[in-house]
Amino acid sequence: MISQELLKQLTSLAAALFLLTAFAILAQRHMRALLGWFAIQGVLLAATSALVAFAAASPELYISALLALLLKGFLMPWLLWRVVVRLGANREVETLINIFPTLLIAALLVLFAYYISLPIQKTSVLMTRNIIAIGLACVLIGMLIMITRRKAVTQVVGYLAMENALFFTATAATHGMPLVVEIGIAFDVLIAGLIFGLFFFHIRKTFDSLDLRHLERK
């Protein structure tokens, strides 16, 4: 039988690796590596959900973990890779700010997330209260990815990374939402992925590029 202390340590390890993937996505210059880290983040999200499900004895959270593994760990990264290959966009990732200053901003966002989550950690009695700050930090880093990227594909990866972080934070703060809500969110993510794919093809057909600066000029 696994002790609560060991479960807490395993959950903290998975959360630390989840935060590492957010930094790795932010630091990538190549599309293939970017989507690889995004897939690893999805797998870690599923692993964290499964650990919380075991600790909380929540069968519904196991289903959420399985959905996260299938959709966020495999299907979405595979769909995005198919789209970028089809569009010939599987080259270097273009950024608005250099990588090093962006990573420094991300480190500051992590400190900010720890600061604003302190009152929640003090009042919560859940085993996962110490990883809520990591979830909030990853939400902010996902927003930073969206802001500092030029191409539509990388901005969508930032949006999906932020959605992963929101799911992570909700799991840590509440030990899982109602199953019908989580299935609805998973379905929304799948539909969003299909719409984004159509969006990419339309931008490429209109501007012969996925650079969103063309939309601003239009």
Side-chain angles (χ1 to χ4, degrees):
M1 186 66 182
I2 302 177
S3 67
Q4 285 291 314
E5 184 58 31
L6 179 57
L7 274 175
K8 186 177 179 180
Q9 291 178 4
L10 289 173
T11 307
S12 297
L13 175 62
L17 293 174
F18 188 84
L19 178 61
L20 176 65
T21 60
F23 274 91
I25 292 171
L26 188 63
Q28 291 310 309
R29 290 186 178 276
H30 299 280
M31 189 64 72
R32 185 167 190 167
L34 178 82
L35 291 177
W37 280 108
F38 175 62
I40 293 171
Q41 187 181 66
V43 173
L44 287 169
L45 176 64
T48 307
S49 299
L51 286 169
V52 175
F54 186 80
S58 171
E60 292 185 349
L61 204 48
Y62 281 116
I63 299 174
S64 299
L66 181 61
L67 287 174
L69 180 66
L70 295 176
L71 285 178
K72 301 168 188 290
F74 296 106
L75 184 59
M76 289 303 297
W78 180 76
L79 284 175
L80 286 171
W81 177 245
R82 293 282 297 175
V83 169
V84 297
V85 169
R86 184 78 179 271
L87 294 175
N90 51 332
R91 294 186 292 271
E92 189 171 343
V93 175
E94 295 182 13
T95 60
L96 292 172
I97 307 173
N98 288 333
I99 296 296
F100 184 68
T102 311
L103 291 174
L104 285 180
I105 295 171
L108 293 175
L109 290 177
V110 172
L111 294 177
F112 177 69
Y114 269 96
Y115 176 74
I116 63 173
S117 66
L118 281 177
I120 302 173
Q121 292 185 40
K122 289 179 180 177
T123 56
S124 176
V125 295
L126 297 175
M127 179 197 72
T128 51
R129 62 184 179 278
N130 61 327
I131 64 172
I132 294 173
I134 291 179
L136 291 175
C138 291
V139 171
L140 296 174
I141 293 173
M143 292 176 65
L144 183 63
I145 294 169
M146 292 176 65
I147 293 169
T148 58
R149 295 297 185 271
R150 289 178 176 172
K151 296 291 182 62
V153 176
T154 45
Q155 290 195 358
V156 167
V157 171
Y159 167 79
L160 292 172
M162 187 172 67
E163 198 277 333
N164 282 350
L166 286 171
F167 187 93
F168 180 95
T169 307
T171 302
T174 65
H175 278 189
M177 295 173 286
L179 182 60
V180 65
V181 175
E182 293 182 357
I183 291 176
I185 292 173
F187 186 71
D188 285 346
V189 170
L190 183 60
I191 296 298
L194 297 175
I195 292 174
F196 285 142
L198 294 174
F199 180 60
F200 296 152
F201 280 105
H202 188 67
I203 292 178
R204 183 58 181 265
K205 183 179 178 182
T206 304
F207 301 106
D208 196 29
S209 171
L210 290 174
D211 194 328
L212 291 180
R213 288 174 296 178
H214 294 295
L215 290 177
E216 297 172 2
R217 292 168 188 158
K218 194 75 174 176

